[in-house]
Amino acid sequence: ALNKNMSRLLSFLDETAMVVDGSFETISDYLDSQIYTHRMFVMKDLRLVMERKVLNWHCMLIDSFADQSWVHDSWELIAPVDPMFQNILNYIDTHVLSELCADAADFELYIQWRYPELIYPDEITLSRLTASVTRYANLIMKFYFLQDEEDAITLDEWAAAGYMCSNLPKSRTFLNF
């Protein structure tokens, strides 16, 4: 397999040399642009997969907890003493936060920051949770995918991590608080 791959690579370089005038620098520039283009496509796909996770979680939550009254009235308080509340947080962690390499404790701090007038978790509703997940996820997406930000994760960092946020160094995963 290694010989076949090397043979294919050498054949590609030979073909490319004929197409792009033959100099090492020109071939190097061409390959660099191909790598960059490939990485951009992979990043676009990764972003779409993450966005799909963010878009789909709410419907799946509703299906999972359909027998709860707060599902049908999204402004009804979700009783925090009810074990169901922890199940909801676990659900959000499993289906959204961990998929985006976010920290559940950080998310709870975000909710408290977002709704300082509330006594958390006593006054949380499905509407507030939904809004919080959506806005928190938007912060995560901005952190991971806005390339022109000063401390944005570079294409090289993503490639080194195999395009998996779980493989990024801990210092490069999202943490809001």
PDB file of all heavy atoms in Angstrom, residues 81-119:
ATOM      1  N   VAL A  81     -35.650  20.918  41.524  1.00  0.00           N
ATOM      2  CA  VAL A  81     -35.518  19.823  42.477  1.00  0.00           C
ATOM      3  C   VAL A  81     -35.942  18.501  41.841  1.00  0.00           C
ATOM      4  O   VAL A  81     -35.598  17.432  42.326  1.00  0.00           O
ATOM      5  CB  VAL A  81     -36.340  20.077  43.764  1.00  0.00           C
ATOM      6  CG1 VAL A  81     -35.750  21.234  44.534  1.00  0.00           C
ATOM      7  CG2 VAL A  81     -37.802  20.329  43.436  1.00  0.00           C
ATOM      8  N   ASP A  82     -36.683  18.611  40.781  1.00  0.00           N
ATOM      9  CA  ASP A  82     -37.102  17.428  40.041  1.00  0.00           C
ATOM     10  C   ASP A  82     -35.854  16.837  39.373  1.00  0.00           C
ATOM     11  O   ASP A  82     -35.081  17.557  38.750  1.00  0.00           O
ATOM     12  CB  ASP A  82     -38.120  17.872  38.981  1.00  0.00           C
ATOM     13  CG  ASP A  82     -38.732  16.723  38.227  1.00  0.00           C
ATOM     14  OD1 ASP A  82     -38.111  15.649  38.161  1.00  0.00           O
ATOM     15  OD2 ASP A  82     -39.836  16.921  37.692  1.00  0.00           O
ATOM     16  N   PRO A  83     -35.636  15.538  39.492  1.00  0.00           N
ATOM     17  CA  PRO A  83     -34.476  14.930  38.822  1.00  0.00           C
ATOM     18  C   PRO A  83     -34.496  15.165  37.308  1.00  0.00           C
ATOM     19  O   PRO A  83     -33.480  15.074  36.641  1.00  0.00           O
ATOM     20  CB  PRO A  83     -34.593  13.440  39.138  1.00  0.00           C
ATOM     21  CG  PRO A  83     -35.725  13.274  40.067  1.00  0.00           C
ATOM     22  CD  PRO A  83     -36.423  14.577  40.234  1.00  0.00           C
ATOM     23  N   MET A  84     -35.666  15.504  36.800  1.00  0.00           N
ATOM     24  CA  MET A  84     -35.809  15.774  35.369  1.00  0.00           C
ATOM     25  C   MET A  84     -34.920  16.941  34.942  1.00  0.00           C
ATOM     26  O   MET A  84     -34.374  16.948  33.842  1.00  0.00           O
ATOM     27  CB  MET A  84     -37.281  16.086  35.056  1.00  0.00           C
ATOM     28  CG  MET A  84     -37.598  16.203  33.591  1.00  0.00           C
ATOM     29  SD  MET A  84     -37.278  14.691  32.669  1.00  0.00           S
ATOM     30  CE  MET A  84     -38.391  13.567  33.482  1.00  0.00           C
ATOM     31  N   PHE A  85     -34.750  17.926  35.824  1.00  0.00           N
ATOM     32  CA  PHE A  85     -33.940  19.087  35.470  1.00  0.00           C
ATOM     33  C   PHE A  85     -32.506  18.665  35.149  1.00  0.00           C
ATOM     34  O   PHE A  85     -31.933  19.099  34.150  1.00  0.00           O
ATOM     35  CB  PHE A  85     -33.962  20.123  36.597  1.00  0.00           C
ATOM     36  CG  PHE A  85     -33.228  21.385  36.244  1.00  0.00           C
ATOM     37  CD1 PHE A  85     -33.760  22.268  35.324  1.00  0.00           C
ATOM     38  CD2 PHE A  85     -31.989  21.671  36.796  1.00  0.00           C
ATOM     39  CE1 PHE A  85     -33.086  23.428  34.967  1.00  0.00           C
ATOM     40  CE2 PHE A  85     -31.313  22.820  36.445  1.00  0.00           C
ATOM     41  CZ  PHE A  85     -31.860  23.702  35.531  1.00  0.00           C
ATOM     42  N   GLN A  86     -31.941  17.811  35.978  1.00  0.00           N
ATOM     43  CA  GLN A  86     -30.578  17.336  35.712  1.00  0.00           C
ATOM     44  C   GLN A  86     -30.547  16.494  34.432  1.00  0.00           C
ATOM     45  O   GLN A  86     -29.587  16.552  33.677  1.00  0.00           O
ATOM     46  CB  GLN A  86     -30.022  16.542  36.892  1.00  0.00           C
ATOM     47  CG  GLN A  86     -28.538  16.264  36.784  1.00  0.00           C
ATOM     48  CD  GLN A  86     -27.702  17.528  36.595  1.00  0.00           C
ATOM     49  OE1 GLN A  86     -27.817  18.499  37.344  1.00  0.00           O
ATOM     50  NE2 GLN A  86     -26.841  17.544  35.588  1.00  0.00           N
ATOM     51  N   ASN A  87     -31.617  15.766  34.172  1.00  0.00           N
ATOM     52  CA  ASN A  87     -31.707  14.995  32.923  1.00  0.00           C
ATOM     53  C   ASN A  87     -31.680  15.919  31.709  1.00  0.00           C
ATOM     54  O   ASN A  87     -31.071  15.596  30.685  1.00  0.00           O
ATOM     55  CB  ASN A  87     -32.970  14.139  32.888  1.00  0.00           C
ATOM     56  CG  ASN A  87     -32.936  13.004  33.894  1.00  0.00           C
ATOM     57  OD1 ASN A  87     -31.888  12.662  34.423  1.00  0.00           O
ATOM     58  ND2 ASN A  87     -34.099  12.441  34.164  1.00  0.00           N
ATOM     59  N   ILE A  88     -32.345  17.060  31.828  1.00  0.00           N
ATOM     60  CA  ILE A  88     -32.365  18.036  30.726  1.00  0.00           C
ATOM     61  C   ILE A  88     -30.953  18.585  30.509  1.00  0.00           C
ATOM     62  O   ILE A  88     -30.472  18.659  29.371  1.00  0.00           O
ATOM     63  CB  ILE A  88     -33.347  19.189  31.023  1.00  0.00           C
ATOM     64  CG1 ILE A  88     -34.766  18.654  31.123  1.00  0.00           C
ATOM     65  CG2 ILE A  88     -33.252  20.271  29.951  1.00  0.00           C
ATOM     66  CD1 ILE A  88     -35.727  19.623  31.773  1.00  0.00           C
ATOM     67  N   LEU A  89     -30.302  18.970  31.592  1.00  0.00           N
ATOM     68  CA  LEU A  89     -28.931  19.487  31.471  1.00  0.00           C
ATOM     69  C   LEU A  89     -27.996  18.423  30.896  1.00  0.00           C
ATOM     70  O   LEU A  89     -27.140  18.730  30.055  1.00  0.00           O
ATOM     71  CB  LEU A  89     -28.424  19.986  32.817  1.00  0.00           C
ATOM     72  CG  LEU A  89     -29.106  21.238  33.362  1.00  0.00           C
ATOM     73  CD1 LEU A  89     -28.525  21.602  34.728  1.00  0.00           C
ATOM     74  CD2 LEU A  89     -28.992  22.412  32.402  1.00  0.00           C
ATOM     75  N   ASN A  90     -28.161  17.198  31.344  1.00  0.00           N
ATOM     76  CA  ASN A  90     -27.350  16.103  30.800  1.00  0.00           C
ATOM     77  C   ASN A  90     -27.614  15.921  29.306  1.00  0.00           C
ATOM     78  O   ASN A  90     -26.697  15.671  28.530  1.00  0.00           O
ATOM     79  CB  ASN A  90     -27.616  14.794  31.541  1.00  0.00           C
ATOM     80  CG  ASN A  90     -27.078  14.813  32.954  1.00  0.00           C
ATOM     81  OD1 ASN A  90     -26.226  15.628  33.306  1.00  0.00           O
ATOM     82  ND2 ASN A  90     -27.592  13.920  33.779  1.00  0.00           N
ATOM     83  N   TYR A  91     -28.883  16.037  28.925  1.00  0.00           N
ATOM     84  CA  TYR A  91     -29.253  15.917  27.521  1.00  0.00           C
ATOM     85  C   TYR A  91     -28.568  17.011  26.693  1.00  0.00           C
ATOM     86  O   TYR A  91     -27.973  16.738  25.647  1.00  0.00           O
ATOM     87  CB  TYR A  91     -30.773  16.001  27.350  1.00  0.00           C
ATOM     88  CG  TYR A  91     -31.198  15.826  25.930  1.00  0.00           C
ATOM     89  CD1 TYR A  91     -31.514  14.566  25.446  1.00  0.00           C
ATOM     90  CD2 TYR A  91     -31.239  16.900  25.053  1.00  0.00           C
ATOM     91  CE1 TYR A  91     -31.882  14.381  24.122  1.00  0.00           C
ATOM     92  CE2 TYR A  91     -31.598  16.724  23.736  1.00  0.00           C
ATOM     93  CZ  TYR A  91     -31.916  15.467  23.276  1.00  0.00           C
ATOM     94  OH  TYR A  91     -32.251  15.292  21.960  1.00  0.00           O
ATOM     95  N   ILE A  92     -28.644  18.244  27.171  1.00  0.00           N
ATOM     96  CA  ILE A  92     -28.011  19.368  26.471  1.00  0.00           C
ATOM     97  C   ILE A  92     -26.503  19.158  26.393  1.00  0.00           C
ATOM     98  O   ILE A  92     -25.880  19.390  25.354  1.00  0.00           O
ATOM     99  CB  ILE A  92     -28.367  20.711  27.153  1.00  0.00           C
ATOM    100  CG1 ILE A  92     -29.861  21.017  26.945  1.00  0.00           C
ATOM    101  CG2 ILE A  92     -27.496  21.846  26.615  1.00  0.00           C
ATOM    102  CD1 ILE A  92     -30.369  22.174  27.783  1.00  0.00           C
ATOM    103  N   ASP A  93     -25.921  18.676  27.478  1.00  0.00           N
ATOM    104  CA  ASP A  93     -24.482  18.416  27.481  1.00  0.00           C
ATOM    105  C   ASP A  93     -24.121  17.340  26.452  1.00  0.00           C
ATOM    106  O   ASP A  93     -23.208  17.514  25.653  1.00  0.00           O
ATOM    107  CB  ASP A  93     -24.020  17.995  28.879  1.00  0.00           C
ATOM    108  CG  ASP A  93     -22.516  17.798  28.960  1.00  0.00           C
ATOM    109  OD1 ASP A  93     -21.767  18.465  28.214  1.00  0.00           O
ATOM    110  OD2 ASP A  93     -22.079  16.971  29.775  1.00  0.00           O
ATOM    111  N   THR A  94     -24.863  16.252  26.453  1.00  0.00           N
ATOM    112  CA  THR A  94     -24.563  15.140  25.551  1.00  0.00           C
ATOM    113  C   THR A  94     -24.793  15.486  24.090  1.00  0.00           C
ATOM    114  O   THR A  94     -23.963  15.177  23.229  1.00  0.00           O
ATOM    115  CB  THR A  94     -25.427  13.910  25.920  1.00  0.00           C
ATOM    116  OG1 THR A  94     -25.146  13.554  27.266  1.00  0.00           O
ATOM    117  CG2 THR A  94     -25.149  12.734  25.002  1.00  0.00           C
ATOM    118  N   HIS A  95     -25.896  16.149  23.790  1.00  0.00           N
ATOM    119  CA  HIS A  95     -26.289  16.349  22.399  1.00  0.00           C
ATOM    120  C   HIS A  95     -25.849  17.675  21.791  1.00  0.00           C
ATOM    121  O   HIS A  95     -25.940  17.841  20.563  1.00  0.00           O
ATOM    122  CB  HIS A  95     -27.802  16.203  22.248  1.00  0.00           C
ATOM    123  CG  HIS A  95     -28.258  14.807  22.541  1.00  0.00           C
ATOM    124  ND1 HIS A  95     -28.134  13.780  21.635  1.00  0.00           N
ATOM    125  CD2 HIS A  95     -28.807  14.259  23.652  1.00  0.00           C
ATOM    126  CE1 HIS A  95     -28.589  12.667  22.164  1.00  0.00           C
ATOM    127  NE2 HIS A  95     -29.006  12.916  23.390  1.00  0.00           N
ATOM    128  N   VAL A  96     -25.399  18.598  22.620  1.00  0.00           N
ATOM    129  CA  VAL A  96     -24.950  19.880  22.078  1.00  0.00           C
ATOM    130  C   VAL A  96     -23.548  20.218  22.582  1.00  0.00           C
ATOM    131  O   VAL A  96     -22.599  20.283  21.802  1.00  0.00           O
ATOM    132  CB  VAL A  96     -25.913  21.041  22.426  1.00  0.00           C
ATOM    133  CG1 VAL A  96     -25.435  22.339  21.799  1.00  0.00           C
ATOM    134  CG2 VAL A  96     -27.329  20.733  21.985  1.00  0.00           C
ATOM    135  N   LEU A  97     -23.429  20.421  23.876  1.00  0.00           N
ATOM    136  CA  LEU A  97     -22.186  20.953  24.426  1.00  0.00           C
ATOM    137  C   LEU A  97     -20.977  20.058  24.157  1.00  0.00           C
ATOM    138  O   LEU A  97     -19.957  20.527  23.656  1.00  0.00           O
ATOM    139  CB  LEU A  97     -22.345  21.209  25.928  1.00  0.00           C
ATOM    140  CG  LEU A  97     -23.465  22.174  26.307  1.00  0.00           C
ATOM    141  CD1 LEU A  97     -23.585  22.277  27.815  1.00  0.00           C
ATOM    142  CD2 LEU A  97     -23.256  23.537  25.670  1.00  0.00           C
ATOM    143  N   SER A  98     -21.082  18.783  24.482  1.00  0.00           N
ATOM    144  CA  SER A  98     -19.928  17.906  24.266  1.00  0.00           C
ATOM    145  C   SER A  98     -19.637  17.733  22.776  1.00  0.00           C
ATOM    146  O   SER A  98     -18.479  17.585  22.387  1.00  0.00           O
ATOM    147  CB  SER A  98     -20.112  16.559  24.962  1.00  0.00           C
ATOM    148  OG  SER A  98     -21.228  15.888  24.453  1.00  0.00           O
ATOM    149  N   GLU A  99     -20.669  17.785  21.949  1.00  0.00           N
ATOM    150  CA  GLU A  99     -20.466  17.702  20.500  1.00  0.00           C
ATOM    151  C   GLU A  99     -19.673  18.912  19.986  1.00  0.00           C
ATOM    152  O   GLU A  99     -18.992  18.825  18.974  1.00  0.00           O
ATOM    153  CB  GLU A  99     -21.802  17.624  19.763  1.00  0.00           C
ATOM    154  CG  GLU A  99     -22.573  16.347  20.013  1.00  0.00           C
ATOM    155  CD  GLU A  99     -22.009  15.149  19.269  1.00  0.00           C
ATOM    156  OE1 GLU A  99     -21.291  15.345  18.270  1.00  0.00           O
ATOM    157  OE2 GLU A  99     -22.287  14.021  19.697  1.00  0.00           O
ATOM    158  N   LEU A 100     -19.788  20.029  20.685  1.00  0.00           N
ATOM    159  CA  LEU A 100     -19.078  21.249  20.307  1.00  0.00           C
ATOM    160  C   LEU A 100     -17.870  21.492  21.203  1.00  0.00           C
ATOM    161  O   LEU A 100     -17.271  22.565  21.180  1.00  0.00           O
ATOM    162  CB  LEU A 100     -20.023  22.454  20.377  1.00  0.00           C
ATOM    163  CG  LEU A 100     -21.291  22.381  19.532  1.00  0.00           C
ATOM    164  CD1 LEU A 100     -22.141  23.630  19.735  1.00  0.00           C
ATOM    165  CD2 LEU A 100     -20.968  22.181  18.063  1.00  0.00           C
ATOM    166  N   CYS A 101     -17.538  20.485  22.006  1.00  0.00           N
ATOM    167  CA  CYS A 101     -16.393  20.554  22.926  1.00  0.00           C
ATOM    168  C   CYS A 101     -16.523  21.720  23.906  1.00  0.00           C
ATOM    169  O   CYS A 101     -15.559  22.429  24.195  1.00  0.00           O
ATOM    170  CB  CYS A 101     -15.078  20.619  22.169  1.00  0.00           C
ATOM    171  SG  CYS A 101     -14.823  19.164  21.118  1.00  0.00           S
ATOM    172  N   ALA A 102     -17.724  21.917  24.395  1.00  0.00           N
ATOM    173  CA  ALA A 102     -17.984  22.976  25.371  1.00  0.00           C
ATOM    174  C   ALA A 102     -18.173  22.340  26.748  1.00  0.00           C
ATOM    175  O   ALA A 102     -18.505  21.169  26.873  1.00  0.00           O
ATOM    176  CB  ALA A 102     -19.215  23.775  24.973  1.00  0.00           C
ATOM    177  N   ASP A 103     -17.987  23.145  27.748  1.00  0.00           N
ATOM    178  CA  ASP A 103     -18.035  22.685  29.130  1.00  0.00           C
ATOM    179  C   ASP A 103     -19.414  22.962  29.731  1.00  0.00           C
ATOM    180  O   ASP A 103     -19.897  24.093  29.683  1.00  0.00           O
ATOM    181  CB  ASP A 103     -16.944  23.428  29.917  1.00  0.00           C
ATOM    182  CG  ASP A 103     -16.870  22.990  31.347  1.00  0.00           C
ATOM    183  OD1 ASP A 103     -16.368  21.881  31.592  1.00  0.00           O
ATOM    184  OD2 ASP A 103     -17.331  23.763  32.215  1.00  0.00           O
ATOM    185  N   ALA A 104     -20.033  21.935  30.310  1.00  0.00           N
ATOM    186  CA  ALA A 104     -21.383  22.073  30.873  1.00  0.00           C
ATOM    187  C   ALA A 104     -21.415  23.079  32.019  1.00  0.00           C
ATOM    188  O   ALA A 104     -22.359  23.872  32.134  1.00  0.00           O
ATOM    189  CB  ALA A 104     -21.901  20.717  31.339  1.00  0.00           C
ATOM    190  N   ALA A 105     -20.402  23.071  32.867  1.00  0.00           N
ATOM    191  CA  ALA A 105     -20.362  24.023  33.984  1.00  0.00           C
ATOM    192  C   ALA A 105     -20.250  25.454  33.459  1.00  0.00           C
ATOM    193  O   ALA A 105     -20.872  26.374  34.001  1.00  0.00           O
ATOM    194  CB  ALA A 105     -19.204  23.689  34.930  1.00  0.00           C
ATOM    195  N   ASP A 106     -19.477  25.642  32.399  1.00  0.00           N
ATOM    196  CA  ASP A 106     -19.350  26.962  31.779  1.00  0.00           C
ATOM    197  C   ASP A 106     -20.692  27.410  31.210  1.00  0.00           C
ATOM    198  O   ASP A 106     -21.066  28.572  31.320  1.00  0.00           O
ATOM    199  CB  ASP A 106     -18.283  26.931  30.682  1.00  0.00           C
ATOM    200  CG  ASP A 106     -17.956  28.307  30.143  1.00  0.00           C
ATOM    201  OD1 ASP A 106     -17.463  29.142  30.909  1.00  0.00           O
ATOM    202  OD2 ASP A 106     -18.225  28.541  28.941  1.00  0.00           O
ATOM    203  N   PHE A 107     -21.430  26.477  30.614  1.00  0.00           N
ATOM    204  CA  PHE A 107     -22.754  26.793  30.087  1.00  0.00           C
ATOM    205  C   PHE A 107     -23.694  27.246  31.211  1.00  0.00           C
ATOM    206  O   PHE A 107     -24.440  28.215  31.047  1.00  0.00           O
ATOM    207  CB  PHE A 107     -23.340  25.579  29.348  1.00  0.00           C
ATOM    208  CG  PHE A 107     -24.766  25.774  28.922  1.00  0.00           C
ATOM    209  CD1 PHE A 107     -25.098  26.720  27.964  1.00  0.00           C
ATOM    210  CD2 PHE A 107     -25.781  25.017  29.485  1.00  0.00           C
ATOM    211  CE1 PHE A 107     -26.416  26.911  27.571  1.00  0.00           C
ATOM    212  CE2 PHE A 107     -27.103  25.194  29.097  1.00  0.00           C
ATOM    213  CZ  PHE A 107     -27.419  26.147  28.147  1.00  0.00           C
ATOM    214  N   GLU A 108     -23.660  26.584  32.341  1.00  0.00           N
ATOM    215  CA  GLU A 108     -24.522  26.983  33.454  1.00  0.00           C
ATOM    216  C   GLU A 108     -24.143  28.376  33.965  1.00  0.00           C
ATOM    217  O   GLU A 108     -25.017  29.175  34.313  1.00  0.00           O
ATOM    218  CB  GLU A 108     -24.482  25.949  34.570  1.00  0.00           C
ATOM    219  CG  GLU A 108     -25.210  24.671  34.172  1.00  0.00           C
ATOM    220  CD  GLU A 108     -25.489  23.769  35.348  1.00  0.00           C
ATOM    221  OE1 GLU A 108     -26.253  24.193  36.245  1.00  0.00           O
ATOM    222  OE2 GLU A 108     -24.935  22.655  35.361  1.00  0.00           O
ATOM    223  N   LEU A 109     -22.851  28.677  33.979  1.00  0.00           N
ATOM    224  CA  LEU A 109     -22.428  30.040  34.348  1.00  0.00           C
ATOM    225  C   LEU A 109     -22.941  31.053  33.327  1.00  0.00           C
ATOM    226  O   LEU A 109     -23.331  32.166  33.690  1.00  0.00           O
ATOM    227  CB  LEU A 109     -20.901  30.121  34.446  1.00  0.00           C
ATOM    228  CG  LEU A 109     -20.268  29.396  35.618  1.00  0.00           C
ATOM    229  CD1 LEU A 109     -18.745  29.370  35.488  1.00  0.00           C
ATOM    230  CD2 LEU A 109     -20.689  30.049  36.935  1.00  0.00           C
ATOM    231  N   TYR A 110     -22.946  30.655  32.066  1.00  0.00           N
ATOM    232  CA  TYR A 110     -23.468  31.526  31.011  1.00  0.00           C
ATOM    233  C   TYR A 110     -24.947  31.817  31.254  1.00  0.00           C
ATOM    234  O   TYR A 110     -25.383  32.963  31.125  1.00  0.00           O
ATOM    235  CB  TYR A 110     -23.259  30.874  29.633  1.00  0.00           C
ATOM    236  CG  TYR A 110     -23.911  31.671  28.527  1.00  0.00           C
ATOM    237  CD1 TYR A 110     -23.303  32.818  28.019  1.00  0.00           C
ATOM    238  CD2 TYR A 110     -25.143  31.292  27.999  1.00  0.00           C
ATOM    239  CE1 TYR A 110     -23.906  33.559  27.017  1.00  0.00           C
ATOM    240  CE2 TYR A 110     -25.752  32.029  26.994  1.00  0.00           C
ATOM    241  CZ  TYR A 110     -25.124  33.161  26.507  1.00  0.00           C
ATOM    242  OH  TYR A 110     -25.733  33.895  25.520  1.00  0.00           O
ATOM    243  N   ILE A 111     -25.728  30.809  31.600  1.00  0.00           N
ATOM    244  CA  ILE A 111     -27.155  31.023  31.872  1.00  0.00           C
ATOM    245  C   ILE A 111     -27.319  32.026  33.020  1.00  0.00           C
ATOM    246  O   ILE A 111     -28.141  32.948  32.935  1.00  0.00           O
ATOM    247  CB  ILE A 111     -27.871  29.696  32.233  1.00  0.00           C
ATOM    248  CG1 ILE A 111     -27.894  28.757  31.036  1.00  0.00           C
ATOM    249  CG2 ILE A 111     -29.297  29.966  32.706  1.00  0.00           C
ATOM    250  CD1 ILE A 111     -28.402  27.352  31.369  1.00  0.00           C
ATOM    251  N   GLN A 112     -26.537  31.860  34.062  1.00  0.00           N
ATOM    252  CA  GLN A 112     -26.626  32.773  35.206  1.00  0.00           C
ATOM    253  C   GLN A 112     -26.233  34.193  34.814  1.00  0.00           C
ATOM    254  O   GLN A 112     -26.828  35.167  35.285  1.00  0.00           O
ATOM    255  CB  GLN A 112     -25.750  32.259  36.346  1.00  0.00           C
ATOM    256  CG  GLN A 112     -26.270  30.960  36.927  1.00  0.00           C
ATOM    257  CD  GLN A 112     -25.296  30.326  37.891  1.00  0.00           C
ATOM    258  OE1 GLN A 112     -24.702  31.014  38.710  1.00  0.00           O
ATOM    259  NE2 GLN A 112     -25.134  29.021  37.788  1.00  0.00           N
ATOM    260  N   TRP A 113     -25.245  34.317  33.942  1.00  0.00           N
ATOM    261  CA  TRP A 113     -24.830  35.640  33.463  1.00  0.00           C
ATOM    262  C   TRP A 113     -25.912  36.238  32.569  1.00  0.00           C
ATOM    263  O   TRP A 113     -26.222  37.424  32.656  1.00  0.00           O
ATOM    264  CB  TRP A 113     -23.518  35.501  32.680  1.00  0.00           C
ATOM    265  CG  TRP A 113     -23.132  36.743  31.957  1.00  0.00           C
ATOM    266  CD1 TRP A 113     -22.487  37.828  32.476  1.00  0.00           C
ATOM    267  CD2 TRP A 113     -23.400  37.052  30.583  1.00  0.00           C
ATOM    268  NE1 TRP A 113     -22.332  38.789  31.496  1.00  0.00           N
ATOM    269  CE2 TRP A 113     -22.887  38.334  30.327  1.00  0.00           C
ATOM    270  CE3 TRP A 113     -24.023  36.362  29.537  1.00  0.00           C
ATOM    271  CZ2 TRP A 113     -22.966  38.936  29.086  1.00  0.00           C
ATOM    272  CZ3 TRP A 113     -24.109  36.959  28.303  1.00  0.00           C
ATOM    273  CH2 TRP A 113     -23.580  38.236  28.084  1.00  0.00           C
ATOM    274  N   ARG A 114     -26.490  35.399  31.701  1.00  0.00           N
ATOM    275  CA  ARG A 114     -27.497  35.861  30.739  1.00  0.00           C
ATOM    276  C   ARG A 114     -28.778  36.319  31.430  1.00  0.00           C
ATOM    277  O   ARG A 114     -29.450  37.224  30.965  1.00  0.00           O
ATOM    278  CB  ARG A 114     -27.798  34.727  29.756  1.00  0.00           C
ATOM    279  CG  ARG A 114     -28.801  35.085  28.716  1.00  0.00           C
ATOM    280  CD  ARG A 114     -28.719  34.187  27.515  1.00  0.00           C
ATOM    281  NE  ARG A 114     -29.896  34.255  26.700  1.00  0.00           N
ATOM    282  CZ  ARG A 114     -30.364  35.335  26.116  1.00  0.00           C
ATOM    283  NH1 ARG A 114     -29.763  36.480  26.260  1.00  0.00           N
ATOM    284  NH2 ARG A 114     -31.453  35.292  25.373  1.00  0.00           N
ATOM    285  N   TYR A 115     -29.142  35.672  32.519  1.00  0.00           N
ATOM    286  CA  TYR A 115     -30.375  35.987  33.249  1.00  0.00           C
ATOM    287  C   TYR A 115     -30.042  36.333  34.703  1.00  0.00           C
ATOM    288  O   TYR A 115     -30.415  35.608  35.622  1.00  0.00           O
ATOM    289  CB  TYR A 115     -31.358  34.806  33.190  1.00  0.00           C
ATOM    290  CG  TYR A 115     -31.807  34.460  31.807  1.00  0.00           C
ATOM    291  CD1 TYR A 115     -31.356  33.306  31.169  1.00  0.00           C
ATOM    292  CD2 TYR A 115     -32.698  35.289  31.132  1.00  0.00           C
ATOM    293  CE1 TYR A 115     -31.785  32.992  29.887  1.00  0.00           C
ATOM    294  CE2 TYR A 115     -33.129  34.981  29.846  1.00  0.00           C
ATOM    295  CZ  TYR A 115     -32.666  33.833  29.233  1.00  0.00           C
ATOM    296  OH  TYR A 115     -33.087  33.533  27.961  1.00  0.00           O
ATOM    297  N   PRO A 116     -29.361  37.447  34.923  1.00  0.00           N
ATOM    298  CA  PRO A 116     -28.945  37.773  36.298  1.00  0.00           C
ATOM    299  C   PRO A 116     -30.128  38.054  37.229  1.00  0.00           C
ATOM    300  O   PRO A 116     -29.999  37.938  38.449  1.00  0.00           O
ATOM    301  CB  PRO A 116     -28.075  39.027  36.117  1.00  0.00           C
ATOM    302  CG  PRO A 116     -28.542  39.633  34.836  1.00  0.00           C
ATOM    303  CD  PRO A 116     -28.985  38.483  33.972  1.00  0.00           C
ATOM    304  N   GLU A 117     -31.271  38.409  36.650  1.00  0.00           N
ATOM    305  CA  GLU A 117     -32.448  38.721  37.463  1.00  0.00           C
ATOM    306  C   GLU A 117     -33.133  37.463  37.994  1.00  0.00           C
ATOM    307  O   GLU A 117     -33.968  37.535  38.895  1.00  0.00           O
ATOM    308  CB  GLU A 117     -33.453  39.562  36.664  1.00  0.00           C
ATOM    309  CG  GLU A 117     -34.206  38.822  35.566  1.00  0.00           C
ATOM    310  CD  GLU A 117     -33.413  38.580  34.264  1.00  0.00           C
ATOM    311  OE1 GLU A 117     -32.231  38.948  34.165  1.00  0.00           O
ATOM    312  OE2 GLU A 117     -34.002  38.005  33.339  1.00  0.00           O
ATOM    313  N   LEU A 118     -32.766  36.313  37.457  1.00  0.00           N
ATOM    314  CA  LEU A 118     -33.396  35.059  37.864  1.00  0.00           C
ATOM    315  C   LEU A 118     -32.607  34.382  38.976  1.00  0.00           C
ATOM    316  O   LEU A 118     -31.409  34.562  39.098  1.00  0.00           O
ATOM    317  CB  LEU A 118     -33.481  34.084  36.681  1.00  0.00           C
ATOM    318  CG  LEU A 118     -34.241  34.533  35.454  1.00  0.00           C
ATOM    319  CD1 LEU A 118     -34.211  33.430  34.418  1.00  0.00           C
ATOM    320  CD2 LEU A 118     -35.664  34.902  35.799  1.00  0.00           C
ATOM    321  N   ILE A 119     -33.317  33.591  39.710  1.00  0.00           N
ATOM    322  CA  ILE A 119     -32.647  32.710  40.664  1.00  0.00           C
ATOM    323  C   ILE A 119     -32.456  31.397  39.921  1.00  0.00           C
ATOM    324  O   ILE A 119     -33.423  30.677  39.642  1.00  0.00           O
ATOM    325  CB  ILE A 119     -33.501  32.514  41.934  1.00  0.00           C
ATOM    326  CG1 ILE A 119     -33.752  33.851  42.611  1.00  0.00           C
ATOM    327  CG2 ILE A 119     -32.842  31.513  42.876  1.00  0.00           C
ATOM    328  CD1 ILE A 119     -34.805  33.797  43.702  1.00  0.00           C
TER     329      ILE A 119
END
